[in-house]
Short mmCIF file of all heavy atoms in Angstrom, two decimals:
data_model
loop_
_atom_site.label_atom_id
_atom_site.label_comp_id
_atom_site.label_asym_id
_atom_site.label_seq_id
_atom_site.Cartn_x
_atom_site.Cartn_y
_atom_site.Cartn_z
N TYR A 442 161.74 15.10 -9.88
CA TYR A 442 161.22 14.33 -11.01
C TYR A 442 161.67 14.97 -12.31
O TYR A 442 161.37 16.13 -12.59
CB TYR A 442 159.68 14.28 -10.96
CG TYR A 442 159.09 13.46 -12.08
CD1 TYR A 442 159.15 12.07 -12.05
CD2 TYR A 442 158.48 14.07 -13.17
CE1 TYR A 442 158.62 11.31 -13.08
CE2 TYR A 442 157.93 13.32 -14.21
CZ TYR A 442 158.02 11.93 -14.16
OH TYR A 442 157.49 11.19 -15.18
N ASP A 443 162.42 14.20 -13.11
CA ASP A 443 162.91 14.65 -14.42
C ASP A 443 161.82 14.34 -15.45
O ASP A 443 161.60 13.17 -15.79
CB ASP A 443 164.21 13.89 -14.73
CG ASP A 443 164.72 14.15 -16.15
OD1 ASP A 443 164.07 14.88 -16.91
OD2 ASP A 443 165.77 13.59 -16.49
N GLN A 444 161.17 15.38 -15.91
CA GLN A 444 160.02 15.13 -16.79
C GLN A 444 160.43 14.65 -18.18
O GLN A 444 159.67 13.96 -18.85
CB GLN A 444 159.18 16.40 -16.94
CG GLN A 444 159.90 17.51 -17.70
CD GLN A 444 158.98 18.66 -18.03
OE1 GLN A 444 158.16 19.04 -17.22
NE2 GLN A 444 159.12 19.19 -19.24
N ASP A 445 161.64 14.99 -18.62
CA ASP A 445 162.05 14.56 -19.95
C ASP A 445 162.30 13.06 -20.02
O ASP A 445 161.96 12.40 -20.99
CB ASP A 445 163.33 15.30 -20.38
CG ASP A 445 163.06 16.78 -20.58
OD1 ASP A 445 162.00 17.11 -21.14
OD2 ASP A 445 163.90 17.59 -20.14
N GLN A 446 162.94 12.56 -18.98
CA GLN A 446 163.27 11.14 -19.00
C GLN A 446 162.43 10.33 -18.03
O GLN A 446 162.67 9.13 -17.84
CB GLN A 446 164.76 10.95 -18.66
CG GLN A 446 165.61 11.71 -19.64
CD GLN A 446 166.96 11.08 -19.82
OE1 GLN A 446 167.08 9.88 -19.97
NE2 GLN A 446 167.97 11.90 -19.83
N GLU A 447 161.46 11.03 -17.41
CA GLU A 447 160.53 10.36 -16.50
C GLU A 447 161.29 9.52 -15.48
O GLU A 447 161.04 8.33 -15.29
CB GLU A 447 159.54 9.51 -17.32
CG GLU A 447 158.70 10.37 -18.25
CD GLU A 447 157.85 9.56 -19.21
OE1 GLU A 447 157.88 8.33 -19.13
OE2 GLU A 447 157.16 10.17 -20.04
N THR A 448 162.25 10.19 -14.86
CA THR A 448 163.13 9.53 -13.90
C THR A 448 163.16 10.33 -12.60
O THR A 448 163.04 11.56 -12.63
CB THR A 448 164.58 9.47 -14.45
OG1 THR A 448 164.55 8.82 -15.71
CG2 THR A 448 165.52 8.74 -13.52
N GLU A 449 163.27 9.64 -11.49
CA GLU A 449 163.39 10.33 -10.19
C GLU A 449 164.85 10.36 -9.74
O GLU A 449 165.58 9.38 -9.92
CB GLU A 449 162.60 9.56 -9.13
CG GLU A 449 161.12 9.88 -9.14
CD GLU A 449 160.42 9.17 -7.99
OE1 GLU A 449 161.02 9.06 -6.88
OE2 GLU A 449 159.30 8.74 -8.20
N TYR A 450 165.25 11.47 -9.15
CA TYR A 450 166.55 11.57 -8.51
C TYR A 450 166.33 11.87 -7.04
O TYR A 450 165.55 12.76 -6.69
CB TYR A 450 167.39 12.69 -9.13
CG TYR A 450 167.78 12.41 -10.57
CD1 TYR A 450 166.99 12.87 -11.62
CD2 TYR A 450 168.92 11.68 -10.86
CE1 TYR A 450 167.33 12.61 -12.94
CE2 TYR A 450 169.28 11.41 -12.17
CZ TYR A 450 168.48 11.88 -13.21
OH TYR A 450 168.82 11.60 -14.50
N GLU A 451 166.98 11.13 -6.18
CA GLU A 451 166.85 11.34 -4.74
C GLU A 451 168.23 11.47 -4.14
O GLU A 451 169.14 10.70 -4.49
CB GLU A 451 166.11 10.16 -4.11
CG GLU A 451 165.90 10.33 -2.61
CD GLU A 451 165.03 9.21 -2.01
OE1 GLU A 451 164.67 8.29 -2.76
OE2 GLU A 451 164.74 9.28 -0.82
N GLY A 452 168.41 12.47 -3.27
CA GLY A 452 169.73 12.62 -2.67
C GLY A 452 169.79 13.81 -1.75
O GLY A 452 168.77 14.28 -1.24
N GLU A 453 171.01 14.28 -1.57
CA GLU A 453 171.24 15.43 -0.69
C GLU A 453 171.61 16.65 -1.52
O GLU A 453 172.08 16.53 -2.66
CB GLU A 453 172.39 15.12 0.27
CG GLU A 453 172.05 14.03 1.28
CD GLU A 453 173.16 13.83 2.30
OE1 GLU A 453 174.13 14.62 2.29
OE2 GLU A 453 173.06 12.89 3.10
N VAL A 454 171.38 17.80 -0.90
CA VAL A 454 171.83 19.04 -1.53
C VAL A 454 173.32 19.18 -1.22
O VAL A 454 173.76 18.91 -0.09
CB VAL A 454 171.05 20.25 -0.99
CG1 VAL A 454 171.56 21.55 -1.60
CG2 VAL A 454 169.55 20.08 -1.26
N LEU A 455 174.09 19.55 -2.22
CA LEU A 455 175.53 19.72 -2.03
C LEU A 455 175.75 20.73 -0.91
O LEU A 455 175.19 21.84 -0.92
CB LEU A 455 176.15 20.23 -3.33
CG LEU A 455 177.65 20.20 -3.44
CD1 LEU A 455 178.18 18.78 -3.47
CD2 LEU A 455 178.08 20.95 -4.72
N PRO A 456 176.54 20.40 0.14
CA PRO A 456 176.76 21.32 1.25
C PRO A 456 177.23 22.70 0.77
O PRO A 456 177.93 22.80 -0.24
CB PRO A 456 177.84 20.62 2.08
CG PRO A 456 177.69 19.18 1.76
CD PRO A 456 177.26 19.13 0.33
N ASN A 457 176.80 23.69 1.53
CA ASN A 457 177.19 25.07 1.22
C ASN A 457 176.60 25.60 -0.09
O ASN A 457 177.12 26.54 -0.67
CB ASN A 457 178.72 25.24 1.19
CG ASN A 457 179.36 24.82 2.49
OD1 ASN A 457 178.84 25.14 3.57
ND2 ASN A 457 180.44 24.08 2.41
N THR A 458 175.52 24.95 -0.54
CA THR A 458 174.85 25.46 -1.74
C THR A 458 173.70 26.36 -1.33
O THR A 458 172.87 25.98 -0.51
CB THR A 458 174.30 24.28 -2.57
OG1 THR A 458 175.39 23.45 -2.93
CG2 THR A 458 173.60 24.76 -3.83
N ARG A 459 173.70 27.56 -1.87
CA ARG A 459 172.62 28.50 -1.54
C ARG A 459 171.47 28.26 -2.52
O ARG A 459 171.65 28.29 -3.73
CB ARG A 459 173.11 29.94 -1.67
CG ARG A 459 174.18 30.31 -0.64
CD ARG A 459 174.72 31.69 -0.93
NE ARG A 459 173.70 32.73 -0.74
CZ ARG A 459 173.49 33.37 0.43
NH1 ARG A 459 174.23 33.07 1.48
NH2 ARG A 459 172.58 34.30 0.53
N LEU A 460 170.31 28.03 -1.96
CA LEU A 460 169.14 27.77 -2.80
C LEU A 460 168.01 28.72 -2.39
O LEU A 460 167.89 29.08 -1.21
CB LEU A 460 168.65 26.33 -2.63
CG LEU A 460 169.61 25.20 -3.06
CD1 LEU A 460 169.03 23.85 -2.70
CD2 LEU A 460 169.87 25.27 -4.56
N PRO A 461 167.20 29.11 -3.34
CA PRO A 461 166.03 29.92 -2.99
C PRO A 461 164.97 29.05 -2.32
O PRO A 461 165.13 27.84 -2.22
CB PRO A 461 165.55 30.42 -4.35
CG PRO A 461 166.01 29.37 -5.31
CD PRO A 461 167.28 28.83 -4.76
N ASP A 462 163.90 29.66 -1.84
CA ASP A 462 162.80 28.86 -1.30
C ASP A 462 162.27 27.94 -2.40
O ASP A 462 162.12 28.35 -3.55
CB ASP A 462 161.67 29.77 -0.82
CG ASP A 462 162.09 30.51 0.45
OD1 ASP A 462 163.04 30.04 1.11
OD2 ASP A 462 161.49 31.56 0.73
N ILE A 463 161.98 26.74 -2.01
CA ILE A 463 161.58 25.74 -3.02
C ILE A 463 160.14 25.34 -2.80
O ILE A 463 159.71 25.06 -1.68
CB ILE A 463 162.50 24.52 -2.95
CG1 ILE A 463 163.89 24.88 -3.49
CG2 ILE A 463 161.93 23.33 -3.72
CD1 ILE A 463 164.93 23.81 -3.33
N THR A 464 159.37 25.33 -3.88
CA THR A 464 158.00 24.86 -3.84
C THR A 464 157.96 23.41 -4.34
O THR A 464 158.50 23.10 -5.40
CB THR A 464 157.10 25.72 -4.75
OG1 THR A 464 157.22 27.08 -4.34
CG2 THR A 464 155.65 25.29 -4.66
N VAL A 465 157.34 22.57 -3.53
CA VAL A 465 157.22 21.15 -3.91
C VAL A 465 155.93 20.95 -4.69
O VAL A 465 154.89 21.53 -4.36
CB VAL A 465 157.24 20.25 -2.66
CG1 VAL A 465 156.93 18.79 -3.01
CG2 VAL A 465 158.59 20.34 -1.96
N GLY A 466 155.98 20.16 -5.73
CA GLY A 466 154.76 19.82 -6.49
C GLY A 466 154.84 20.29 -7.92
O GLY A 466 155.77 20.99 -8.34
N THR A 467 153.83 19.90 -8.67
CA THR A 467 153.84 20.15 -10.11
C THR A 467 153.59 21.61 -10.47
O THR A 467 153.77 22.00 -11.62
CB THR A 467 152.78 19.29 -10.81
OG1 THR A 467 151.53 19.54 -10.19
CG2 THR A 467 153.12 17.81 -10.72
N SER A 468 153.17 22.39 -9.48
CA SER A 468 152.85 23.79 -9.80
C SER A 468 154.10 24.63 -10.05
O SER A 468 154.02 25.70 -10.64
CB SER A 468 152.03 24.42 -8.66
OG SER A 468 152.79 24.37 -7.47
N ALA A 469 155.25 24.15 -9.56
CA ALA A 469 156.49 24.92 -9.76
C ALA A 469 157.51 24.07 -10.50
O ALA A 469 157.84 22.97 -10.07
CB ALA A 469 157.06 25.33 -8.40
N ASN A 470 157.93 24.59 -11.62
CA ASN A 470 158.91 23.84 -12.42
C ASN A 470 160.29 24.46 -12.30
O ASN A 470 160.42 25.69 -12.26
CB ASN A 470 158.48 23.81 -13.88
CG ASN A 470 157.30 22.87 -14.08
OD1 ASN A 470 157.44 21.66 -13.99
ND2 ASN A 470 156.13 23.46 -14.29
N TYR A 471 161.27 23.59 -12.25
CA TYR A 471 162.65 24.04 -12.07
C TYR A 471 163.55 23.37 -13.09
O TYR A 471 163.27 22.27 -13.58
CB TYR A 471 163.16 23.67 -10.67
CG TYR A 471 162.44 24.35 -9.55
CD1 TYR A 471 161.31 23.76 -8.99
CD2 TYR A 471 162.87 25.58 -9.05
CE1 TYR A 471 160.64 24.37 -7.94
CE2 TYR A 471 162.21 26.20 -8.00
CZ TYR A 471 161.09 25.59 -7.46
OH TYR A 471 160.43 26.20 -6.43
N LYS A 472 164.65 24.07 -13.30
CA LYS A 472 165.76 23.44 -14.01
C LYS A 472 166.87 23.29 -12.98
O LYS A 472 167.26 24.29 -12.36
CB LYS A 472 166.20 24.33 -15.17
CG LYS A 472 167.25 23.70 -16.04
CD LYS A 472 167.34 24.36 -17.40
CE LYS A 472 167.90 25.77 -17.31
NZ LYS A 472 168.04 26.40 -18.64
N VAL A 473 167.35 22.06 -12.77
CA VAL A 473 168.34 21.84 -11.72
C VAL A 473 169.59 21.17 -12.29
O VAL A 473 169.55 20.51 -13.32
CB VAL A 473 167.77 20.94 -10.59
CG1 VAL A 473 166.54 21.57 -9.96
CG2 VAL A 473 167.47 19.54 -11.08
N THR A 474 170.66 21.38 -11.56
CA THR A 474 171.91 20.69 -11.90
C THR A 474 172.19 19.68 -10.80
O THR A 474 172.23 20.03 -9.62
CB THR A 474 173.07 21.69 -12.00
OG1 THR A 474 172.73 22.68 -12.97
CG2 THR A 474 174.36 20.98 -12.43
N ILE A 475 172.35 18.44 -11.20
CA ILE A 475 172.57 17.35 -10.24
C ILE A 475 173.89 16.67 -10.57
O ILE A 475 174.18 16.39 -11.74
CB ILE A 475 171.41 16.32 -10.30
CG1 ILE A 475 170.09 16.99 -9.87
CG2 ILE A 475 171.69 15.12 -9.40
CD1 ILE A 475 168.86 16.11 -10.06
N LEU A 476 174.65 16.43 -9.52
CA LEU A 476 175.87 15.64 -9.69
C LEU A 476 175.54 14.20 -9.34
O LEU A 476 174.99 13.93 -8.26
CB LEU A 476 176.98 16.15 -8.76
CG LEU A 476 177.38 17.62 -8.93
CD1 LEU A 476 178.43 18.00 -7.89
CD2 LEU A 476 177.90 17.88 -10.34
#
Side-chain angles (χ1 to χ4, degrees):
Chain A
Y442 182 75
D443 173 358
Q444 67 171 40
D445 293 319
Q446 302 209 45
E447 298 172 2
T448 304
E449 278 185 36
Y450 294 92
E451 182 174 4
E453 292 185 7
V454 177
L455 192 67
N457 303 318
T458 300
R459 293 174 66 90
L460 297 174
D462 289 340
I463 288 173
T464 304
V465 172
T467 55
S468 60
N470 287 290
Y471 296 90
K472 185 161 69 178
V473 301
T474 303
I475 296 173
L476 301 177

